[in-house]
Amino acid sequence: MKNVGRNRGCVVTGVAGFVGSHLAEKLLSLGHRVVGIDNFFSGYPENMASFKDHPAFTFYDTSIAEEGLLEWISGRHSGLSYCFHLAAIVSVPYSMDHEEETTKINYDATLKLLQSAEKLRFSRLVFAGSAAEYGNDQRLPLLETYADEKTRHLSPYGQAKFMASRAVASNPIGVALRFFNIYGPRQDPRSPYSGVISRFLDMALANKVLTIFGDGHQARDFVYVSDVVEAYIRAAGLNDTGPSVPNGVYNVGTGKSTTILELAETIKDLTGNALPLNFCRERPGDIRFSLASVDAFSGAAHWVPRISLRAGLRETLHWVRRDSV
Ligand code: UD2
């Protein structure tokens, strides 16, 4: 058994985002210090409400593309040794229209952070990769090795995430986590780029018809945000039990497939929405099936997803309800 102790110095980029805010909250609750970075491109100050005044938390409103950012932060805060790099352009459609900017933020800035972290002798940099790195590969479940230089990425977002993951994974301090469809409280339900779960919950509660793009038989691997946070903690080695994770790239999903039709029916059931579903044209560029093999990370980190889809939906529903009163 390791003894990680408390009071470790952590940097979280994208701290005002959906996942970054949950991660910062958890790190603080474990007794660590957190320096958070965000420029509110897609994050919200409200997401930090529960910890913004925590004595072990410091926030900087700045872009990760700033030259020498990690050096500057490390000059002001001693003992920083873990970098959780979540800040990114997160919208796939936005990346289609802004290829250069996506490469600059999602790839170039990641490389710079990685080089700085290594130079500053950080113990670990954990990077937020994405299932988009697999393009439309339909060899399911997806193994980490399937994404390679031959993969045809469907968006600049997928391409940049793939290149960044590869660079991170090959560095001795780097772990790239390839996340499948993350959901949970604080995932913005109102943006046109919102994930299907937050959208469906929001619409169902407003007693609106749920819209399915295509026939609804497309399927995804939905993973709840607290399981994702635990994956970050283990990837960094900040957990007291379990092995140290070797540098590399690891899928983080549940290994369970849910069709959009099943999801819609479960949400209707949970919310009491009895309206018939509305089927419309398939979304251009949508992939059909996405499913993770999680054996590599389960083996390396002794991590298992704990929250079932129904339980996660209940928690998220609770949050959407609270938000709408
Ligand atoms: C996810 C990620 C995206 C990228 C991509 C890689 C999220 C929110 N997005 O996109 O960032 O990593 O995976 O493959 O995790 N749908 C409906 N009705 C709606 C909304 C969506 O039928 O009102 C369908 C949609 O057509 C798709 C499925 O639900 O087939 C999931 O859509 P999504 O936008 O939640 O996530 P995805 O997998 O396209």
Side-chain angles (χ1 to χ4, degrees):
M1 175 153 156
K2 294 178 291 186
N3 187 5
V4 171
R6 297 155 78 85
N7 205 27
R8 297 296 169 118
C10 306
V11 175
V12 177
T13 73
V15 72
F18 156 47
V19 182
S21 60
H22 284 281
L23 175 60
E25 212 166 48
K26 178 73 179 184
L27 289 166
L28 291 165
S29 79
L30 292 172
H32 302 302
R33 287 175 292 129
V34 176
V35 177
I37 311 290
D38 210 294
N39 67 352
F40 301 115
F41 185 79
S42 55
Y44 298 99
E46 305 88 88
N47 286 344
M48 302 192 290
S50 66
F51 58 86
K52 70 176 182 5
D53 297 323
H54 193 292
F57 179 68
T58 313
F59 176 69
Y60 294 107
D61 176 352
T62 185
S63 163
I64 49 160
E66 281 299 321
E67 228 25 81
L69 177 66
L70 211 54
E71 286 79 356
W72 183 79
I73 293 170
S74 293
R76 300 180 139 229
H77 300 267
S78 61
L80 295 177
S81 50
Y82 298 86
C83 181
F84 296 92
H85 178 35
L86 286 72
I89 285 172
V90 292
S91 161
V92 174
Y94 181 92
S95 83
M96 297 289 205
D97 301 330
H98 302 84
E99 184 163 358
E100 211 174 297
E101 186 187 353
T102 303
T103 308
K104 180 171 161 239
I105 301 296
N106 291 8
Y107 177 60
D108 299 346
T110 302
L111 267 197
K112 276 191 233 158
L113 273 183
L114 182 64
Q115 284 157 2
S116 301
E118 198 181 13
K119 202 172 72 199
L120 293 162
R121 298 186 179 282
F122 272 54
S123 309
R124 185 120 279 188
L125 181 141
V126 187
F127 172 69
S130 163
E133 294 174 42
Y134 293 106
N136 199 7
D137 199 327
Q138 293 291 280
R139 291 174 287 171
L140 304 175
L142 291 159
L143 292 174
E144 285 81 353
T145 48
Y146 291 174
D148 60 24
E149 46 293 320
K150 292 196 288 300
T151 303
R152 220 172 48 79
H153 293 106
L154 306 178
S155 62
Y157 172 86
Q159 173 73 24
K161 284 281 178 185
F162 168 69
M163 293 191 308
S165 278
R166 195 170 49 177
V168 169
S170 62
N171 190 295
I173 65 163
V175 173
L177 298 177
R178 258 182 208 149
F179 294 111
F180 282 65
N181 290 60
I182 309 175
Y183 72 101
R186 298 190 198 139
Q187 190 170 34
D188 184 4
R190 307 270 160 91
S191 124
Y193 312 128
S194 300
V196 63
I197 289 186
S198 55
R199 255 178 92 89
F200 276 4
L201 287 173
D202 196 49
M203 308 276 284
L205 278 184
N207 213 26
K208 290 189 184 147
V209 170
L210 306 187
T211 296
I212 306 236
F213 301 137
D215 62 8
H217 292 291
Q218 70 268 41
R220 296 293 185 269
D221 183 336
F222 294 106
V223 58
Y224 189 64
V225 66
S226 64
D227 284 325
V228 164
V229 166
E230 183 59 26
Y232 272 111
I233 301 286
R234 285 176 182 258
L238 286 174
N239 48 310
D240 279 331
T241 57
S244 299
V245 176
N247 68 304
V249 57
Y250 302 95
N251 286 339
V252 176
T254 61
K256 294 197 179 76
S257 180
T258 304
T259 67
I260 300 306
L261 214 45
E262 284 164 352
L263 176 71
E265 291 301 342
T266 310
I267 287 177
K268 282 178 60 178
D269 184 35
L270 285 171
T271 56
N273 178 311
L275 299 169
L277 297 169
N278 171 38
F279 290 84
C280 66
R281 225 158 39 92
E282 197 176 306
R283 209 168 57 175
D286 249 13
I287 57 168
R288 188 75 176 151
F289 302 112
S290 174
L291 177 66
S293 161
V294 292
D295 294 350
F297 195 58
S298 298
H302 293 184
W303 171 88
V304 277
R306 301 206 176 273
I307 309 295
S308 69
L309 181 63
R310 217 176 161 86
L313 288 175
R314 270 207 201 93
E315 287 298 314
T316 314
L317 181 60
H318 197 62
W319 176 79
V320 178
R321 272 207 177 107
R322 191 185 56 181
D323 202 46
S324 57
V325 287

